[in-house]
Amino acid sequence: MTVAPKDFATYADEYVLGLLDEADATRLDAQLEHDTALADAVAQARERFLPLDTGIEPARVTPSLWNAIETRLADAQAPSSIPSASPPRPAAGNDNARSGWRAAAISAMAASLMLAGGLIWSVTRTADPLVVAVLLNEAGEVQAVVEDFGNDTASVKLLTDFAVPADKTMQVWTLPSREMGPMSLGLLQDAHSATLSGSALPRPQDTQLYEITLEQAGGSPTGRPTGPILAKGFAKLAR
Amino acid sequence: MSAVATAETEYSRTRESSWGESGLALATDQSTDLETALLACARGDRNGLRLIFDLEGGRLVAVAQRILRRRELAEEVVQEAFIRIWTHAHQFAPGRGSARGWIYAVVRNRALNMLRDGRREDLVSDERLETLQDAEQMDEIMSAWHRLDRDSRLKECLGALEEMRRRGILMAYVGGYTHGEIAGRLKLPLGTAKSWIRRGLLSLRECMA
């Protein structure tokens, strides 16, 4: 016996709220594995209620919790061998895979994976930046990563090719404070990644804005960004 | 000239933006990070899991604790959930729902399972009526609704519900209560509680559609 499509929304809500009795929940779990319309309904229900969880005041978490997870991970198998660490009642409803999506998703995420590598590399190195900002273009694609070391040095890694006309140059900016306004970190010669130094600015903060604009060769004549924004993003404290 | 406007407008928007707006921008960045982190987990990159822990660990413990009432049980649930996130990350596909929703669902499922397995027996027993702790949990449950962004659709639509229906829905989602427990707390017959909640959920879906 399966749940009929007309009842999907009702069951999805009650499933997400944890209100189904065990028999119904098990039934739904089984059906979710192959019924994409039902899985969609569950995903929608989940998103509807999610803000009730994400708005919560975070608990203070000690390093011992992560250590405990790492210890358990050591016992668990690699991701490819799934069943080893399965809890008693598997939440198959959480399987939101849809095969047709996979190829598209993988290619769309390739840039993000580069970013993951960049982030991980940047936060595990010995000379640590104070903040890391991931810069995205208007379409939300990752374009560059800025690491600000706070000692008047910032490293800019470009993660895509930029077409810069001969009479133009890429200029990197940050907004240390509203009062100060946008400040130049420097120019990227030949649209290459670079380490920029020499601009004495306040210690970078969490959520500080960084961006790259296209300026005339030699940099913005006004000392403020004047050209179109190629990428921008907010910094996060490296920890 | 239009190029000038682009950059200047951008900065003035940032300069004028309220804390809330920049918070929103951050939240967006964060959800991208979570998706990236889940995909990293699926590839066997443990740093992805660490990133999820760093971004969401505190809230996930709090969510589990709100359901289970006890910190040590909440931490156990979060540990189990992170192992599951690690082993099942490949099941996440960005096309269906957010990475954040997926991650929270893993923790919620583990917490509810533990609750239903009776590990919280002493805390949810039916004999225990309006105790102090019960009242406290009720406050906490309702505050989850109050804390929603003022202009959030969910907040508005929950607010439009008749009070008992809103309460029932919040008790279930936020506190992990069963139909029976909700009926007991709201002093309603079980069948009535069930149908009220069901109708409340229907109104909520229609309101948020």
Side-chain angles (χ1 to χ4, degrees):
Chain A
M1 163 116 185
T2 57
V3 178
K6 67 176 171 57
D7 297 325
F8 279 0
T10 304
Y11 272 85
D13 270 354
E14 295 188 356
Y15 179 79
V16 166
L17 262 62
L19 285 173
L20 293 183
D21 61 37
E22 208 174 330
D24 278 345
T26 309
R27 205 150 56 96
L28 213 75
D29 275 338
Q31 194 173 341
L32 274 167
E33 284 178 13
H34 53 82
D35 193 328
T36 57
L38 181 60
D40 282 339
V42 167
Q44 282 164 21
R46 200 179 276 158
E47 297 299 323
R48 266 203 300 281
F49 290 99
L50 184 60
L52 289 167
D53 283 337
T54 54
I56 201 170
E57 185 74 32
R60 198 195 296 256
V61 172
T62 59
S64 64
L65 180 55
W66 174 254
N67 294 339
I69 292 169
E70 276 205 310
T71 307
R72 287 199 188 195
L73 267 186
D75 303 334
Q77 295 299 308
S80 48
S81 58
I82 306 133
S84 57
S86 293
R89 201 184 92 192
N94 220 29
D95 178 0
N96 67 353
R98 181 162 49 187
S99 53
W101 243 97
R102 214 159 260 176
I106 287 167
S107 62
M109 282 294 117
S112 301
L113 284 167
M114 290 171 66
L115 149 68
L119 267 180
I120 288 152
W121 170 79
S122 69
V123 297
T124 51
R125 242 171 342 148
T126 40
D128 288 333
L130 291 177
V131 299
V132 177
V134 175
L135 309 192
L136 310 176
N137 64 9
E138 223 167 302
E141 295 155 352
V142 178
Q143 305 289 302
V145 175
V146 176
E147 298 166 289
D148 199 331
F149 294 84
N151 53 1
D152 305 338
T153 305
S155 151
V156 183
K157 300 260 172 304
L158 301 183
L159 301 175
T160 186
D161 291 326
F162 290 89
V164 178
D167 59 338
K168 300 281 186 189
T169 184
M170 293 170 73
Q171 190 160 8
V172 187
W173 305 87
T174 187
L175 187 65
S177 67
R178 295 173 185 200
E179 296 70 36
M180 210 168 194
M183 304 297 290
S184 175
L185 290 171
L187 306 177
L188 298 180
Q189 301 301 338
D190 307 321
H192 281 324
S193 300
T195 298
L196 306 171
S197 56
S199 36
L201 293 173
R203 192 181 166 83
Q205 307 285 316
D206 201 25
T207 79
Q208 186 166 321
L209 178 69
Y210 287 81
E211 70 175 36
I212 301 174
T213 61
L214 193 61
E215 302 290 343
Q216 65 183 59
S220 162
T222 66
R224 292 286 197 239
T226 60
I229 296 164
L230 300 174
K232 63 164 189 158
F234 294 95
K236 284 201 184 130
L237 289 178
R239 50 202 108 188
Chain B
M1 192 56 212
S2 64
V4 177
T6 320
E8 289 297 338
T9 311
E10 192 60 37
Y11 272 111
S12 58
R13 197 189 306 153
T14 307
R15 211 172 296 128
E16 285 158 15
S17 75
S18 66
W19 185 88
E21 274 166 354
S22 62
L24 192 69
L26 265 184
T28 309
D29 285 352
Q30 182 153 319
S31 60
T32 315
D33 288 352
L34 286 174
E35 212 164 276
T36 308
L38 264 187
L39 291 167
C41 287
R43 295 190 155 198
D45 180 351
R46 205 168 280 189
N47 291 303
L49 197 67
R50 177 66 206 234
L51 189 59
I52 295 169
F53 183 83
D54 288 344
L55 290 173
E56 299 291 342
R59 270 184 293 270
L60 291 171
V61 170
V63 164
Q65 191 174 353
R66 195 162 61 180
I67 292 172
L68 292 159
R69 312 306 306 157
R70 282 168 45 191
R71 175 63 182 247
E72 74 272 19
L73 296 185
E75 293 209 1
E76 193 180 327
V77 156
V78 168
Q79 286 181 34
E80 290 173 3
F82 268 79
I83 302 305
R84 190 176 173 87
I85 289 167
W86 176 248
T87 54
H88 287 67
H90 65 281
Q91 290 186 346
F92 168 73
R96 177 176 295 144
S98 66
R100 214 174 184 202
W102 191 89
I103 290 163
Y104 275 74
V106 174
V107 172
R108 295 183 57 81
N109 281 342
R110 295 302 309 141
L112 289 176
N113 281 356
M114 186 182 277
L115 188 63
R116 307 283 191 253
D117 288 349
R119 302 279 295 270
R120 199 182 70 165
E121 253 163 18
D122 52 330
L123 297 164
V124 295
S125 83
D126 279 333
E127 296 92 63
R128 202 175 110 276
L129 291 171
E130 290 289 315
T131 66
L132 185 61
Q133 202 176 14
D134 215 19
E136 265 175 24
Q137 190 177 16
M138 215 51 205
D139 286 347
E140 204 181 341
I141 287 169
M142 297 313 285
S143 83
W145 170 52
H146 296 304
R147 285 174 69 102
L148 291 172
D149 282 344
R150 207 177 338 143
D151 47 0
S152 104
R153 211 56 202 130
L154 180 60
K155 178 164 203 173
E156 191 188 326
C157 292
L158 278 168
L161 292 181
E162 194 267 322
E163 195 201 335
M164 294 291 250
R165 293 178 189 182
R166 173 170 63 241
R167 228 168 236 272
I169 289 171
L170 288 169
M171 285 169 80
Y173 185 86
V174 181
Y177 286 73
T178 61
H179 276 131
E181 289 163 349
I182 294 168
R185 298 294 186 289
L186 298 183
K187 302 190 168 50
L188 295 169
L190 180 59
T192 309
K194 278 188 180 176
S195 70
W196 279 23
I197 290 172
R198 188 165 285 197
R199 269 181 272 156
L201 288 169
L202 175 62
S203 307
L204 201 61
R205 284 197 302 277
E206 286 171 354
C207 176
M208 292 182 75

